[in-house]
Amino acid sequence: MYPEKPFVLFGTGSSDIVYARQGSVAKKVQSIFPSRCHLFRVPIRFHDSGMQHKNKLCRARGVVFTLLGAACAYLMNRRILYVYENGIGAINLPYRASAVGLEHSRSVHPLTLLRVGDVVSELLGEEFRMQNPFLFWTKAEMCKALAKDARNDLPPLTMSCDSPHRQQPVQCGYCSSCLLRRQALAAIGIEDKTRYVVLHGNRPVGDSSLNLCHMLVQVNTLRHLLSILDEPSFQWEALTREFPVLDDIVDRSAAAENILPADMQGRLIQLYRTYVSEWDVVESLIAEGLLNKHGDQQALGRCWVTAQQG
């Protein structure tokens, strides 16, 4: 989008596997945009880590990554860190009313980025901002550039899986992050050459359709809310009654996004409208990938019933 600009890519983490993948992705990006992209990384290592108590939730992990990225930007004499995440994943609305949110990452949520920016600004004694340029884009919209340039060789290099497997294939294909990845590539009509456990490995133990069911519940809820009349104000009222956090996002971050609150409401409505329309096109295709070769119709049926009951 900006051929005249150089980009500094920043990576971190404690996993050697992820660290190696960051390097291979960056190398490929650098070959496409020579002399425009530079990778800097700060590996996280622990002395005698086997002796330390482990917090399995890792709720603050994403914030640690953002803070390290901010330090890198500051050392590069910049006062802004760009975090590239689609709006669906960044806001990460709960799938259903009973969800308590423990498995929903908030590390690049608009309000989190505002708060982390405030912390960094306080530490530096000058304004520092975190910005997500793709807050109002779906993942499929972000991937359209891949389809335009016929670069279906790039997605398999990347990792989206929440719970990667130790054996091949590594990515499960049925966690919410894998499903959003598959949905995005299918929605733009690009061949997904990524190998997934659910499609190319041994069938996982347990119900691999559960995350899809939860996602379909949310899609069905959004579809219903956005079908209420054709007036944006009524649609926004319906959305915020179900998801109050959307009002908080607009109230607290419209100024940071440099847009009027009413315009931000409209862009968020369009974000979820686009997301629902994408699922309308690819829902059956993604669901089919979660069935065994004999056609587990009962698992698929549970998704439809659950979504209809909302």
Side-chain angles (χ1 to χ4, degrees):
M1 294 173 67
Y2 305 100
E4 76 285 358
K5 291 186 177 182
F7 285 82
V8 171
L9 311 177
F10 179 78
T12 184
S14 59
S15 168
D16 291 335
I17 296 175
V18 174
Y19 204 70
R21 193 174 289 266
Q22 289 174 0
S24 63
V25 172
K27 184 177 180 180
K28 189 67 173 181
V29 172
Q30 289 165 342
S31 71
I32 300 172
F33 305 106
S35 303
R36 288 189 54 214
C37 296
H38 306 277
L39 174 65
F40 290 91
R41 288 189 288 178
V42 176
I44 297 175
R45 296 290 184 264
F46 298 95
H47 180 66
D48 289 335
S49 62
M51 304 296 293
Q52 305 301 318
H53 175 70
K54 303 296 190 304
N55 182 347
K56 299 295 185 180
L57 294 179
C58 298
R59 295 288 288 166
R61 180 177 58 185
V63 174
V64 172
F65 296 163
T66 307
L67 289 170
L68 288 171
C72 178
Y74 183 76
L75 292 173
M76 300 296 292
N77 201 31
R78 295 292 183 267
R79 300 300 181 264
I80 184 169
L81 174 70
Y82 292 101
V83 181
Y84 301 97
E85 177 66 281
N86 69 88
I88 301 299
I91 297 175
N92 213 356
L93 294 174
Y95 292 139
R96 57 176 72 228
S98 59
V100 294
L102 288 179
E103 296 182 358
H104 279 236
S105 172
R106 298 288 187 270
S107 58
V108 291
H109 190 279
L111 300 184
T112 303
L113 294 183
L114 276 177
R115 290 166 180 153
V116 175
D118 289 342
V119 169
V120 176
S121 298
E122 183 71 21
L123 291 171
L124 298 178
E126 57 183 301
E127 183 182 12
F128 191 99
R129 295 189 297 123
M130 314 285 180
Q131 186 171 346
N132 178 3
F134 294 97
L135 177 60
F136 305 109
W137 297 44
T138 66
K139 197 178 189 78
E141 288 178 313
M142 290 182 70
C143 291
K144 282 183 178 178
L146 297 174
K148 180 181 178 182
D149 296 337
R151 296 309 302 254
N152 59 0
D153 59 317
L154 296 180
L157 298 177
T158 66
M159 173 76 75
S160 299
C161 190
D162 293 332
S163 303
H165 290 228
R166 294 185 179 276
Q167 71 280 2
Q168 297 292 334
V170 174
Q171 305 197 64
C172 72
Y174 56 88
C175 69
S176 58
S177 295
C178 280
L179 287 170
L180 185 59
R181 169 199 184 98
R182 294 174 56 200
Q183 179 262 10
L185 296 176
I188 61 170
I190 191 171
E191 180 186 1
D192 187 359
K193 293 187 175 183
T194 310
R195 293 185 63 80
Y196 301 103
V197 172
V198 73
L199 298 178
H200 309 104
N202 295 326
R203 188 168 176 81
V205 177
D207 187 359
S208 58
S209 67
L210 186 60
N211 285 302
L212 176 62
C213 291
H214 290 319
M215 295 181 79
L216 290 178
V217 168
Q218 184 192 73
V219 170
N220 188 67
T221 299
L222 291 168
R223 183 185 295 110
H224 170 70
L225 296 173
L226 293 171
S227 67
I228 297 176
L229 302 177
D230 195 26
E231 172 61 41
S233 61
F234 289 114
Q235 293 175 344
W236 183 253
E237 182 181 351
L239 279 173
T240 54
R241 190 182 302 116
E242 183 73 24
F243 305 108
V245 69
L246 293 175
D247 251 341
D248 293 338
I249 291 172
V250 172
D251 290 343
R252 300 181 60 182
S253 61
E257 295 292 334
N258 199 28
I259 58 178
L260 295 173
D263 292 337
M264 189 170 186
Q265 291 175 8
R267 295 184 70 175
L268 288 171
I269 289 173
Q270 186 56 48
L271 168 69
Y272 290 109
R273 190 192 304 278
T274 301
Y275 180 61
V276 170
S277 66
E278 291 168 356
W279 270 107
D280 288 342
V281 174
V282 304
E283 185 175 304
S284 59
L285 177 64
I286 302 301
E288 182 181 356
L290 290 174
L291 304 180
N292 63 28
K293 53 179 132 180
H294 301 296
D296 185 0
Q297 294 300 326
Q298 289 185 342
L300 186 59
R302 284 199 301 275
C303 291
W304 302 160
V305 171
T306 305
Q308 288 168 359
Q309 292 176 345

